[in-house]
PDB file of all heavy atoms in Angstrom:
ATOM      1  N   ILE A 909     -37.439  72.790 138.022  1.00  0.00           N
ATOM      2  CA  ILE A 909     -36.577  73.863 137.510  1.00  0.00           C
ATOM      3  C   ILE A 909     -37.203  74.462 136.257  1.00  0.00           C
ATOM      4  O   ILE A 909     -37.268  75.690 136.103  1.00  0.00           O
ATOM      5  CB  ILE A 909     -35.156  73.337 137.230  1.00  0.00           C
ATOM      6  CG1 ILE A 909     -34.453  72.992 138.543  1.00  0.00           C
ATOM      7  CG2 ILE A 909     -34.343  74.347 136.424  1.00  0.00           C
ATOM      8  CD1 ILE A 909     -33.168  72.194 138.374  1.00  0.00           C
ATOM      9  N   ALA A 910     -37.695  73.624 135.356  1.00  0.00           N
ATOM     10  CA  ALA A 910     -38.327  74.100 134.120  1.00  0.00           C
ATOM     11  C   ALA A 910     -39.549  74.961 134.431  1.00  0.00           C
ATOM     12  O   ALA A 910     -39.763  76.008 133.802  1.00  0.00           O
ATOM     13  CB  ALA A 910     -38.705  72.923 133.227  1.00  0.00           C
ATOM     14  N   PHE A 911     -40.362  74.544 135.405  1.00  0.00           N
ATOM     15  CA  PHE A 911     -41.539  75.310 135.803  1.00  0.00           C
ATOM     16  C   PHE A 911     -41.125  76.699 136.291  1.00  0.00           C
ATOM     17  O   PHE A 911     -41.656  77.718 135.831  1.00  0.00           O
ATOM     18  CB  PHE A 911     -42.298  74.562 136.904  1.00  0.00           C
ATOM     19  CG  PHE A 911     -43.457  75.333 137.476  1.00  0.00           C
ATOM     20  CD1 PHE A 911     -44.689  75.325 136.851  1.00  0.00           C
ATOM     21  CD2 PHE A 911     -43.313  76.064 138.649  1.00  0.00           C
ATOM     22  CE1 PHE A 911     -45.761  76.040 137.371  1.00  0.00           C
ATOM     23  CE2 PHE A 911     -44.371  76.772 139.182  1.00  0.00           C
ATOM     24  CZ  PHE A 911     -45.601  76.767 138.540  1.00  0.00           C
ATOM     25  N   LEU A 912     -40.187  76.755 137.223  1.00  0.00           N
ATOM     26  CA  LEU A 912     -39.781  78.037 137.791  1.00  0.00           C
ATOM     27  C   LEU A 912     -39.117  78.945 136.758  1.00  0.00           C
ATOM     28  O   LEU A 912     -39.360  80.146 136.739  1.00  0.00           O
ATOM     29  CB  LEU A 912     -38.860  77.810 138.990  1.00  0.00           C
ATOM     30  CG  LEU A 912     -39.565  77.243 140.217  1.00  0.00           C
ATOM     31  CD1 LEU A 912     -38.549  76.799 141.268  1.00  0.00           C
ATOM     32  CD2 LEU A 912     -40.539  78.255 140.804  1.00  0.00           C
ATOM     33  N   GLN A 913     -38.312  78.379 135.866  1.00  0.00           N
ATOM     34  CA  GLN A 913     -37.660  79.214 134.860  1.00  0.00           C
ATOM     35  C   GLN A 913     -38.623  79.642 133.760  1.00  0.00           C
ATOM     36  O   GLN A 913     -38.434  80.701 133.160  1.00  0.00           O
ATOM     37  CB  GLN A 913     -36.433  78.522 134.298  1.00  0.00           C
ATOM     38  CG  GLN A 913     -35.301  78.523 135.311  1.00  0.00           C
ATOM     39  CD  GLN A 913     -33.995  77.968 134.794  1.00  0.00           C
ATOM     40  OE1 GLN A 913     -33.975  76.996 134.058  1.00  0.00           O
ATOM     41  NE2 GLN A 913     -32.907  78.584 135.209  1.00  0.00           N
ATOM     42  N   ALA A 914     -39.682  78.873 133.491  1.00  0.00           N
ATOM     43  CA  ALA A 914     -40.712  79.320 132.544  1.00  0.00           C
ATOM     44  C   ALA A 914     -41.448  80.522 133.114  1.00  0.00           C
ATOM     45  O   ALA A 914     -41.760  81.474 132.401  1.00  0.00           O
ATOM     46  CB  ALA A 914     -41.687  78.190 132.244  1.00  0.00           C
ATOM     47  N   ALA A 915     -41.709  80.491 134.409  1.00  0.00           N
ATOM     48  CA  ALA A 915     -42.410  81.593 135.063  1.00  0.00           C
ATOM     49  C   ALA A 915     -41.511  82.798 135.265  1.00  0.00           C
ATOM     50  O   ALA A 915     -41.934  83.944 135.091  1.00  0.00           O
ATOM     51  CB  ALA A 915     -42.961  81.133 136.410  1.00  0.00           C
ATOM     52  N   MET A 916     -40.267  82.555 135.651  1.00  0.00           N
ATOM     53  CA  MET A 916     -39.341  83.625 136.002  1.00  0.00           C
ATOM     54  C   MET A 916     -37.984  83.371 135.347  1.00  0.00           C
ATOM     55  O   MET A 916     -37.083  82.803 135.963  1.00  0.00           O
ATOM     56  CB  MET A 916     -39.212  83.709 137.526  1.00  0.00           C
ATOM     57  CG  MET A 916     -40.542  84.091 138.157  1.00  0.00           C
ATOM     58  SD  MET A 916     -40.618  83.795 139.912  1.00  0.00           S
ATOM     59  CE  MET A 916     -40.492  82.017 139.968  1.00  0.00           C
ATOM     60  N   PRO A 917     -37.847  83.763 134.086  1.00  0.00           N
ATOM     61  CA  PRO A 917     -36.595  83.495 133.365  1.00  0.00           C
ATOM     62  C   PRO A 917     -35.352  84.092 134.018  1.00  0.00           C
ATOM     63  O   PRO A 917     -34.238  83.661 133.737  1.00  0.00           O
ATOM     64  CB  PRO A 917     -36.834  84.113 131.981  1.00  0.00           C
ATOM     65  CG  PRO A 917     -38.318  84.191 131.848  1.00  0.00           C
ATOM     66  CD  PRO A 917     -38.849  84.391 133.237  1.00  0.00           C
ATOM     67  N   ASP A 918     -35.547  85.072 134.904  1.00  0.00           N
ATOM     68  CA  ASP A 918     -34.393  85.667 135.586  1.00  0.00           C
ATOM     69  C   ASP A 918     -33.878  84.796 136.731  1.00  0.00           C
ATOM     70  O   ASP A 918     -32.807  85.045 137.267  1.00  0.00           O
ATOM     71  CB  ASP A 918     -34.732  87.071 136.108  1.00  0.00           C
ATOM     72  CG  ASP A 918     -35.893  87.078 137.093  1.00  0.00           C
ATOM     73  OD1 ASP A 918     -36.883  86.362 136.850  1.00  0.00           O
ATOM     74  OD2 ASP A 918     -35.816  87.807 138.097  1.00  0.00           O
ATOM     75  N   PHE A 919     -34.616  83.758 137.099  1.00  0.00           N
ATOM     76  CA  PHE A 919     -34.143  82.827 138.122  1.00  0.00           C
ATOM     77  C   PHE A 919     -33.029  81.966 137.539  1.00  0.00           C
ATOM     78  O   PHE A 919     -33.178  81.386 136.473  1.00  0.00           O
ATOM     79  CB  PHE A 919     -35.273  81.917 138.606  1.00  0.00           C
ATOM     80  CG  PHE A 919     -36.026  82.442 139.799  1.00  0.00           C
ATOM     81  CD1 PHE A 919     -36.170  83.792 140.031  1.00  0.00           C
ATOM     82  CD2 PHE A 919     -36.602  81.560 140.683  1.00  0.00           C
ATOM     83  CE1 PHE A 919     -36.872  84.272 141.131  1.00  0.00           C
ATOM     84  CE2 PHE A 919     -37.313  82.013 141.784  1.00  0.00           C
ATOM     85  CZ  PHE A 919     -37.441  83.367 142.008  1.00  0.00           C
ATOM     86  N   SER A 920     -31.932  81.883 138.256  1.00  0.00           N
ATOM     87  CA  SER A 920     -30.827  81.025 137.810  1.00  0.00           C
ATOM     88  C   SER A 920     -30.484  80.048 138.926  1.00  0.00           C
ATOM     89  O   SER A 920     -30.854  80.233 140.083  1.00  0.00           O
ATOM     90  CB  SER A 920     -29.608  81.868 137.431  1.00  0.00           C
ATOM     91  OG  SER A 920     -29.162  82.611 138.549  1.00  0.00           O
ATOM     92  N   ILE A 921     -29.771  79.019 138.554  1.00  0.00           N
ATOM     93  CA  ILE A 921     -29.344  78.012 139.523  1.00  0.00           C
ATOM     94  C   ILE A 921     -28.150  78.565 140.288  1.00  0.00           C
ATOM     95  O   ILE A 921     -27.107  78.843 139.713  1.00  0.00           O
ATOM     96  CB  ILE A 921     -29.022  76.678 138.824  1.00  0.00           C
ATOM     97  CG1 ILE A 921     -30.299  76.117 138.199  1.00  0.00           C
ATOM     98  CG2 ILE A 921     -28.402  75.698 139.813  1.00  0.00           C
ATOM     99  CD1 ILE A 921     -30.104  74.888 137.357  1.00  0.00           C
ATOM    100  N   ARG A 922     -28.339  78.746 141.584  1.00  0.00           N
ATOM    101  CA  ARG A 922     -27.282  79.278 142.457  1.00  0.00           C
ATOM    102  C   ARG A 922     -26.324  78.189 142.897  1.00  0.00           C
ATOM    103  O   ARG A 922     -25.164  78.447 143.167  1.00  0.00           O
ATOM    104  CB  ARG A 922     -27.904  79.910 143.699  1.00  0.00           C
ATOM    105  CG  ARG A 922     -28.728  81.130 143.438  1.00  0.00           C
ATOM    106  CD  ARG A 922     -29.518  81.597 144.649  1.00  0.00           C
ATOM    107  NE  ARG A 922     -28.833  81.448 145.913  1.00  0.00           N
ATOM    108  CZ  ARG A 922     -28.862  82.335 146.894  1.00  0.00           C
ATOM    109  NH1 ARG A 922     -29.538  83.440 146.756  1.00  0.00           N
ATOM    110  NH2 ARG A 922     -28.246  82.108 148.039  1.00  0.00           N
ATOM    111  N   GLY A 923     -26.822  76.979 143.011  1.00  0.00           N
ATOM    112  CA  GLY A 923     -26.019  75.847 143.435  1.00  0.00           C
ATOM    113  C   GLY A 923     -26.822  74.585 143.252  1.00  0.00           C
ATOM    114  O   GLY A 923     -28.056  74.615 143.239  1.00  0.00           O
ATOM    115  N   GLU A 924     -26.132  73.466 143.083  1.00  0.00           N
ATOM    116  CA  GLU A 924     -26.817  72.185 142.926  1.00  0.00           C
ATOM    117  C   GLU A 924     -25.854  71.063 143.262  1.00  0.00           C
ATOM    118  O   GLU A 924     -24.643  71.242 143.268  1.00  0.00           O
ATOM    119  CB  GLU A 924     -27.381  72.018 141.518  1.00  0.00           C
ATOM    120  CG  GLU A 924     -26.333  72.042 140.420  1.00  0.00           C
ATOM    121  CD  GLU A 924     -26.963  72.040 139.039  1.00  0.00           C
ATOM    122  OE1 GLU A 924     -28.028  71.436 138.856  1.00  0.00           O
ATOM    123  OE2 GLU A 924     -26.366  72.644 138.136  1.00  0.00           O
ATOM    124  N   GLY A 925     -26.420  69.908 143.535  1.00  0.00           N
ATOM    125  CA  GLY A 925     -25.596  68.762 143.859  1.00  0.00           C
ATOM    126  C   GLY A 925     -26.462  67.560 144.159  1.00  0.00           C
ATOM    127  O   GLY A 925     -27.673  67.572 143.938  1.00  0.00           O
ATOM    128  N   SER A 926     -25.831  66.527 144.652  1.00  0.00           N
ATOM    129  CA  SER A 926     -26.580  65.328 145.019  1.00  0.00           C
ATOM    130  C   SER A 926     -25.755  64.521 146.010  1.00  0.00           C
ATOM    131  O   SER A 926     -24.547  64.700 146.131  1.00  0.00           O
ATOM    132  CB  SER A 926     -26.911  64.483 143.788  1.00  0.00           C
ATOM    133  OG  SER A 926     -25.737  64.029 143.170  1.00  0.00           O
ATOM    134  N   ASN A 927     -26.448  63.649 146.713  1.00  0.00           N
ATOM    135  CA  ASN A 927     -25.789  62.685 147.574  1.00  0.00           C
ATOM    136  C   ASN A 927     -26.488  61.349 147.356  1.00  0.00           C
ATOM    137  O   ASN A 927     -27.279  61.205 146.426  1.00  0.00           O
ATOM    138  CB  ASN A 927     -25.820  63.142 149.045  1.00  0.00           C
ATOM    139  CG  ASN A 927     -27.221  63.347 149.571  1.00  0.00           C
ATOM    140  OD1 ASN A 927     -28.173  62.687 149.153  1.00  0.00           O
ATOM    141  ND2 ASN A 927     -27.367  64.274 150.505  1.00  0.00           N
ATOM    142  N   GLU A 928     -26.237  60.378 148.213  1.00  0.00           N
ATOM    143  CA  GLU A 928     -26.824  59.051 148.002  1.00  0.00           C
ATOM    144  C   GLU A 928     -28.341  59.046 148.167  1.00  0.00           C
ATOM    145  O   GLU A 928     -29.019  58.136 147.697  1.00  0.00           O
ATOM    146  CB  GLU A 928     -26.189  58.010 148.927  1.00  0.00           C
ATOM    147  CG  GLU A 928     -26.263  58.313 150.408  1.00  0.00           C
ATOM    148  CD  GLU A 928     -25.217  59.310 150.902  1.00  0.00           C
ATOM    149  OE1 GLU A 928     -24.232  59.589 150.193  1.00  0.00           O
ATOM    150  OE2 GLU A 928     -25.413  59.833 152.009  1.00  0.00           O
ATOM    151  N   GLU A 929     -28.903  60.065 148.797  1.00  0.00           N
ATOM    152  CA  GLU A 929     -30.343  60.101 149.037  1.00  0.00           C
ATOM    153  C   GLU A 929     -31.120  60.968 148.055  1.00  0.00           C
ATOM    154  O   GLU A 929     -32.254  60.651 147.723  1.00  0.00           O
ATOM    155  CB  GLU A 929     -30.631  60.603 150.454  1.00  0.00           C
ATOM    156  CG  GLU A 929     -30.158  59.657 151.524  1.00  0.00           C
ATOM    157  CD  GLU A 929     -30.470  60.184 152.911  1.00  0.00           C
ATOM    158  OE1 GLU A 929     -31.201  61.184 153.041  1.00  0.00           O
ATOM    159  OE2 GLU A 929     -29.971  59.577 153.875  1.00  0.00           O
ATOM    160  N   ARG A 930     -30.538  62.073 147.606  1.00  0.00           N
ATOM    161  CA  ARG A 930     -31.323  63.001 146.795  1.00  0.00           C
ATOM    162  C   ARG A 930     -30.444  63.978 146.032  1.00  0.00           C
ATOM    163  O   ARG A 930     -29.312  64.247 146.423  1.00  0.00           O
ATOM    164  CB  ARG A 930     -32.310  63.771 147.657  1.00  0.00           C
ATOM    165  CG  ARG A 930     -31.668  64.697 148.670  1.00  0.00           C
ATOM    166  CD  ARG A 930     -32.664  65.441 149.543  1.00  0.00           C
ATOM    167  NE  ARG A 930     -33.571  64.566 150.228  1.00  0.00           N
ATOM    168  CZ  ARG A 930     -33.463  64.194 151.496  1.00  0.00           C
ATOM    169  NH1 ARG A 930     -32.468  64.637 152.218  1.00  0.00           N
ATOM    170  NH2 ARG A 930     -34.324  63.388 152.053  1.00  0.00           N
ATOM    171  N   ALA A 931     -31.048  64.502 144.963  1.00  0.00           N
ATOM    172  CA  ALA A 931     -30.448  65.627 144.249  1.00  0.00           C
ATOM    173  C   ALA A 931     -31.103  66.897 144.778  1.00  0.00           C
ATOM    174  O   ALA A 931     -32.230  66.877 145.268  1.00  0.00           O
ATOM    175  CB  ALA A 931     -30.690  65.484 142.749  1.00  0.00           C
ATOM    176  N   TRP A 932     -30.399  68.017 144.682  1.00  0.00           N
ATOM    177  CA  TRP A 932     -30.939  69.272 145.171  1.00  0.00           C
ATOM    178  C   TRP A 932     -30.503  70.418 144.274  1.00  0.00           C
ATOM    179  O   TRP A 932     -29.561  70.296 143.488  1.00  0.00           O
ATOM    180  CB  TRP A 932     -30.500  69.542 146.612  1.00  0.00           C
ATOM    181  CG  TRP A 932     -29.003  69.687 146.762  1.00  0.00           C
ATOM    182  CD1 TRP A 932     -28.093  68.695 146.973  1.00  0.00           C
ATOM    183  CD2 TRP A 932     -28.256  70.904 146.656  1.00  0.00           C
ATOM    184  NE1 TRP A 932     -26.817  69.206 147.014  1.00  0.00           N
ATOM    185  CE2 TRP A 932     -26.901  70.575 146.830  1.00  0.00           C
ATOM    186  CE3 TRP A 932     -28.598  72.229 146.442  1.00  0.00           C
ATOM    187  CZ2 TRP A 932     -25.884  71.534 146.783  1.00  0.00           C
ATOM    188  CZ3 TRP A 932     -27.589  73.190 146.402  1.00  0.00           C
ATOM    189  CH2 TRP A 932     -26.243  72.823 146.579  1.00  0.00           C
TER     190      TRP A 932
END
């Protein structure tokens, strides 16, 4: 996330979450 937002500050998190296997 830090990499993408450093390159493109206009990118925002549209959605996020996690389950027992992974965060997304």
Side-chain angles (χ1 to χ4, degrees):
I909 291 168
F911 174 84
L912 289 169
Q913 287 185 321
M916 296 165 295
D918 60 318
F919 269 30
S920 61
I921 296 174
R922 294 170 37 140
E924 61 187 327
S926 63
N927 59 31
E928 57 280 345
E929 294 180 9
R930 65 181 55 100
W932 63 272

